[in-house]
Amino acid sequence: MIEQHLKGYPSTFIELFEPPGEGRPAITSIEIPIIQRDFAQGRPDDEASGIRERFLDAIVRACVSDAEMALDFVYGDVKAGVLRPLDGQQRLTTLFLLHWYVASRANALDPAAAWLRFSYATRPTARDFCESLAENPYPGGPASPRAWVTDQPWYLYPWRQDPTISSMLVMLDALHERFVADAPDFSDVWARLEKRSDRAVWFLFLPVADMEYGEDLYIKMNSRGKPLTPFEVFKADLEGMLKPVLSGSDCPVIGHTHDRYEHLAMSIDGDWADVLWEYEKADDSDYVVDDEFMRYLTFIIDICEWRDGQPDRRWRDKAASREWPIEERARLAFADENNANADRNRDFFFHAFDTWSGVDPAAEFSSLFTAGGSGDGPLPLLVSASPDLFGSCISSYGQEFSLAETLMLFAVLLSRQSDGLEPPARDQRLRTLRNLAESAFIDRKRMSEYVGTVERLMLQGTLENAQGFNAEWTADEVEKWKVADAHPEVVPALHKLEDLSVIRGRLFAFELDPETLPTRANVFELVAHPSVRDSLGAALLTKADYSREVGWNGTRRQLGSSTKDDSWRDLFTTGSRASVARTRIPLMELLDDVHQRMEATGGSADDGLVAIRREWLADRESRRHFDWRYYFVRYAGARSAVGEGYFHNNGYDESRGGFSYGRLRMLHGGSYNAYFSDALLRAAWVEGNLGAVAREPKWWHRDDPGMAIAQSSVEIRCLNDSFEIVVPDDNEDIAMRASAALATFPGADGERVHIEQAPVNGALVDREDRVQRCIQLVHHLYQANL
């Protein structure tokens, strides 16, 4: 037995090199054996960084306080005074660097000290680097250890390619950052590291000097000449925990004669590994499938916890964000006698792997989904980069694999597990789930509810008692089911609309009238194209004020942007079927109008939008009715082509026509801190091509800004009934010249230029085009040398 050869001795790094005693062997040097891997604790990846940060925090705390740090076991083969560690390489390397750094800073580095005889047999470069460190103390100063070392004449160019050296330099800088932050007396720290009692940092040393070959212990404990991967540890534990509940049970996979436990043992290194191996070959990756296994297993265990209604079962200590190890989570899901769903969870675990044996998962998913697109054929996934959800899961679950994709993959697995689910029903249910999940914010805290809804949808074909998803959305899906069942001829139109990026499955903005739906769907696909999006926004305003309140105590409203899909998506899909009526009614009227014009003239949808806009503007101009809608319809500069596509006004009053003219601001973002423009001043700046004479009316954190004439900084501000002229403070000359210039401009009165207005339905409406008047005013001031 291996245990017969092991006796432990508490030790610090320096104590390892003390004279032998009480059975402890003499150690004169440490050499990391060639069977070991490179020093890895200095790697820059997230996992290594997280481990390193916690590890060094504890070590430095022990060095500068009365705390202690126990580093568990270090064991190795000792021959002729040379310790070759079989476990503990990473910790010993870190301790060597810690002692070198502290001794250097304490002016206590003695190149002859025994503890400096530390080297690597894995690479000559690493061995030479350690020898050079022992001879050259770090002096401190502004340069970090890494910067100082790499600037020394003894630092050789080939060392830059050694991963162990690179990791050592990262570790030194990480130590340096912590000690600099604590600013200790390094003489005191060194004295603490030298202590033989009340040790600061120590470990239990297990020498195995009486074994013929030390590597035997390493191989016996690790099964091969390198550390076990997390998956290999998990696999051994999984087989052990499942054996009592699987042995003797029938294997559910057709064609297998062994029991379920034997099937697990054979498949986990056989058929299941082969499926993952095909992805490794295709990706030209590291040709190790362990990480892929662990990601998929984590997905399966997550699903089981959510199905069990136990999403918090993963936490050992939720307040401290400490999860149970994956082995314990697997036991609780698959083998806990107190879990009434353990049988179901085991079935799902086996199915989730077995279902891909002997098939090409990528081909299976390509028959179901496509990334983007619309129309007949595979269902478009509107927010996924790849239709192969299995491939995406094994490569990025827990990182970039979204919760919506998690639900879709679960749905596919359920459909493959259900014997009676025919493709038409499966495809309809997957489409419904896509409509619900891809356009929603999925809250991880509610995944148990989503998963339950998905299970009922896929296996029972119902959305009754749907949880997690918005009730209005699920009601919309049920309504579409009814229409499709009663009028199957409209299904292509429904699908066409659902697949558009500005809709993403939700049809609140459409009347589900089977008589008109196909035609309207065809026209909408044309007018919603990004190339005519600006014309759509202008033409839709001719039908009605379709703006939507979006917060800020009623002072922030939304219109569609010419470039942002999400502004239109919000208008078309946010809220409920009832609340979207404000957009739906004018939209249906517009689509019918465009269709009639296309039928009558043979023109394009864009031609129809342009004609609708032109005729509406002509009518307004003939009646001299210039309200805010007129300005937005006529002038592209007043319509949002940037940012969020939102407009803000302190005086919006629907009963008085909507927006007033003063302080009508176009937001370039969705927060108070965003840039903004005065929409009507910007319309004048764009329409009049005023960039050469006036600054763009775009501001940040100004209360009442105006468009400034470039030469004089005289500002023109837009008020409800006029334009106000504001001159720079304390500039009497400009004030006098501005006053003289205004005296000759039509409508001027003191510092204001009034706009002719008339009362309409309780509100004053412009009787002249103020945008054109503003353009004239800018040119007038510019010609007056202002």
Side-chain angles (χ1 to χ4, degrees), residues 278-451:
E278 292 302 316
Y279 281 88
E280 284 292 301
K281 290 194 298 184
D283 292 341
D284 193 24
S285 186
D286 58 6
Y287 297 101
V288 178
V289 299
D290 298 5
D291 290 341
E292 286 78 4
F293 250 117
M294 292 303 292
R295 292 189 192 102
Y296 195 47
L297 283 164
T298 302
F299 159 79
I300 293 168
I301 292 170
D302 279 345
I303 290 292
C304 291
E305 290 169 346
W306 292 324
R307 289 180 87 181
D308 291 350
Q310 298 289 333
D312 289 341
R313 196 168 65 201
R314 64 189 295 190
W315 299 108
R316 178 188 306 186
D317 184 344
K318 190 173 184 180
S321 296
R322 295 174 61 206
E323 291 186 352
W324 286 113
I326 194 70
E327 295 85 351
E328 176 62 11
R329 293 177 64 194
R331 186 193 69 79
L332 293 170
F334 306 139
D336 183 9
E337 62 182 11
N338 295 316
N339 186 350
N341 299 309
D343 285 343
R344 180 193 66 185
N345 293 340
R346 288 194 296 271
D347 286 346
F348 181 72
F349 162 70
F350 276 94
H351 167 72
F353 278 103
D354 285 333
T355 190
W356 308 122
S357 297
V359 301
D360 179 359
E364 295 291 307
F365 278 96
S366 291
S367 70
L368 293 174
F369 305 123
T370 181
S374 62
D376 297 333
L379 174 66
L381 297 179
L382 303 175
V383 295
S384 297
S386 168
D388 184 2
L389 296 181
F390 175 76
S392 298
C393 179
I394 65 174
S395 67
S396 58
Y397 187 75
Q399 300 166 338
E400 298 176 358
F401 196 71
S402 70
L403 293 175
E405 290 172 313
T406 298
L407 294 175
M408 292 297 294
L409 177 55
F410 174 52
V412 171
L413 290 170
L414 286 177
S415 72
R416 295 176 69 89
Q417 194 174 16
S418 174
D419 294 333
L421 186 57
E422 296 297 325
R426 175 202 64 193
D427 294 346
Q428 180 198 49
R429 296 171 191 182
L430 288 174
R431 173 174 282 273
T432 291
L433 176 58
R434 184 214 61 177
N435 294 345
L436 292 172
E438 287 203 338
S439 58
F441 169 76
I442 304 295
D443 184 354
R444 188 179 182 92
K445 295 178 182 178
R446 303 186 67 184
M447 279 296 284
S448 285
E449 298 175 42
Y450 297 123
V451 163

Side-chain angles (χ1 to χ4, degrees), residues 33 35 77 84 86 212-220:
I35 64 171
D77 178 14
R84 294 179 176 86
L86 303 172
E212 182 177 1
Y213 297 103
E215 288 88 345
D216 289 347
L217 174 62
Y218 190 74
I219 294 169
K220 288 179 181 179

